[in-house]
Amino acid sequence: MIHSLYSQRKLSGSERFGNNTIGMDGMIDTLTNKGSTKVILSGKTKYTDYKIFSHKRDTAYIDTTLSIKKEYIFNYLRKDNFELLAFHNQGQTFNSLGYSFSNLNRFPDLGFRAKQVSYLEIDEIKYYEVPTPTTEITYKTGLQQGQVVDAIFTLNFSKRLNVSVSYKGLRSLGAYRRALVSNGNFRGAFQYRTMENQYEIRGHVASQDFFHHENGGLTESALQNFIDENPNFEQRSRLDVNLNDAESQFDGSRAYIDHSYKLLSSRDTLNDRDFGNIKIGHVFTSETKSYQFTQGTNTTAIFGNSNATSATNRDAISKIVDNELNLEFNSKYVLGQFKAKINLTKFSYGYDTILNTNSNFVNTNFDGNALSFGADWNVRLKKFKLNAAASLTPGSSRLSGNFLRGEAVYQKDSLYTITGSLLLNSKSPNFNTLLHQSRYDDYNWENNFSNINTRDLGFAIDSKWLNACVNFTNIDNYTYFDENNTPQQFGNQITYLKVKANREFRYWKLALDNTVMYQNVSSGSSVFRVPEFVTRNTFYYTDYWFKGKPMLVNIGATFKYFTKYKMNAYNPLLAEFTLQNTEEIGFPTVDVFFNAQVRRTRIYFKIDNVTSGFSSKNYFSAPNYPFRDMTIRFGLVWNWFI
């Protein structure tokens, strides 16, 4: 799944008109001065000088336009959350309406995935190159005493050295009891290259923390008062919740460095050589993650029996240190660019002591080393692009497995792009399914699960007429949490089909943007559950207002609906979603928005779930967790180019 943290637009040559950038909505990028053919901001600075580089080194430019796509990504995650269902408070977790398996990692993770929805991975960190100091501020009001701010500042000390500092901070109280969220994502990144590009280095540090009060959802009586629309409980803080003194803390820190040295740079060229552009490289990654669930002296029956004498403030901690050595070159014998890699990985996971004396643990932690061999291959043949990446980790360690991802892309000028992809992945389940400790007796386990084997075949078309994708996925040894909140492996195969399409219709100043997703689980639907249909339809009006057209506005409404299904329940102790067989959930929502652009500032007004005041109280993000009532929100995105 592709993620974007900042407003940006990747451009091809066919998407430019003269020296201006055409945005996603067909408007001219406001970084360009209309009527000028060469300059913006100054006589020597152009919009193409403000570059953003992804982890894969794709290039985009800072985009200050306003479009319906910007409306979809104006949220806490800063990405389109069509396949996610948010909890009521901004910054809480999300339930899944659809799944993507086209971009799996090579190794297992710590787990506690409900707390990692907004965790920024390595491939989500951006690098910059800007001719002048550049700042972007994103602000959005929270829910009951709170707000979120995402700020980035970047500058180049020279054309070859860039540094950037970013921080996203959120604090929001929430409408229900014990729903406080306090999150922080700090990122510092840099990139540097020598005069002849012989030596290149880039890297980042990230420190992320997520503190949440956990209320366990509404009690049985409070849930009934919510459904019956009891007027005494229109103020949601009056409703009782299952947990009154529980909280969770997820922390992560990472250091990442990627550098390479080009051999014989004065003689190397990209073409007309048997071997050229030879580089040796090294990639270092050190990442630590920890999770703890803390509860006061009061225990609760929803988690079962408790050993009250055990400690409660202990972290589950994972640490992975990876060193990669690689050799990269271009050659006519491989038709393009080839990189051979070898990785030495050291990992550890566990607890520093036994937390529950009623448990019978043999080990409280595990660690080890793994050696991996892999290669990347990238080639361009006229209008075709072929990309492949493979890795093999032999042995008996918990990191052993294999990974293969291939992609073929055909682009017909600016008319359409067709992509086919294949992913084969075998890796261990996440660490928290293998070993977990708790003061509650039923939440202690030590498992020896088999590797999860995933095969994903995908096709996509991107054109001005239709954007659509189809993914067919098979999974062996699918690992999940059952109705008793215990990790299990499914003995049969999961067979999952997902079809997603988007089409926008325009007339005059009006537009109707439609996204529809169909899903079918032909095998394994008892443990792998998704709604059959999910749809989002946005009807909106776009126009310039006032004399001289100083303001561009988008005004409209978004209808979203998903069919009923047995949605997974949320377990706050595990920070995971678990199976449940008692409730089917599916409901529509309508959001109304007014967005405006004034120069390089985009302003957003939104009313979430506007129909909640007169519709049935059947809207839930998970069983016992109501979705948000009608809420008025305000925010903006503001760019400075000094």
Side-chain angles (χ1 to χ4, degrees), residues 104-139:
L104 297 178
N105 293 324
R106 293 188 299 124
F107 295 139
D109 185 67
L110 169 68
F112 309 105
R113 296 302 301 173
K115 297 305 177 190
Q116 297 199 60
V117 180
S118 53
Y119 186 86
L120 302 178
E121 302 289 353
I122 290 176
D123 59 357
E124 296 178 275
I125 304 299
K126 307 298 181 183
Y127 304 89
Y128 299 84
E129 181 181 298
V130 292
T132 63
T134 300
T135 300
E136 180 175 279
I137 300 290
T138 300
Y139 169 84

Side-chain angles (χ1 to χ4, degrees), residues 11-22 28 32 36-37 47:
L11 300 174
S12 63
S14 60
E15 293 176 294
R16 300 175 192 164
F17 182 81
N19 288 303
N20 293 324
T21 304
I22 305 300
I28 302 297
T32 56
S36 172
T37 59
Y47 75 92

Side-chain angles (χ1 to χ4, degrees), residues 28-33 39-41 45-48 50 61-65 600 641:
I28 302 297
D29 191 327
T30 55
L31 277 177
T32 56
N33 289 337
V39 299
I40 61 161
L41 302 178
T45 307
K46 305 175 184 178
Y47 75 92
T48 52
Y50 292 83
Y61 308 125
I62 295 177
D63 180 6
T64 62
T65 59
R600 295 175 197 126
F641 303 93

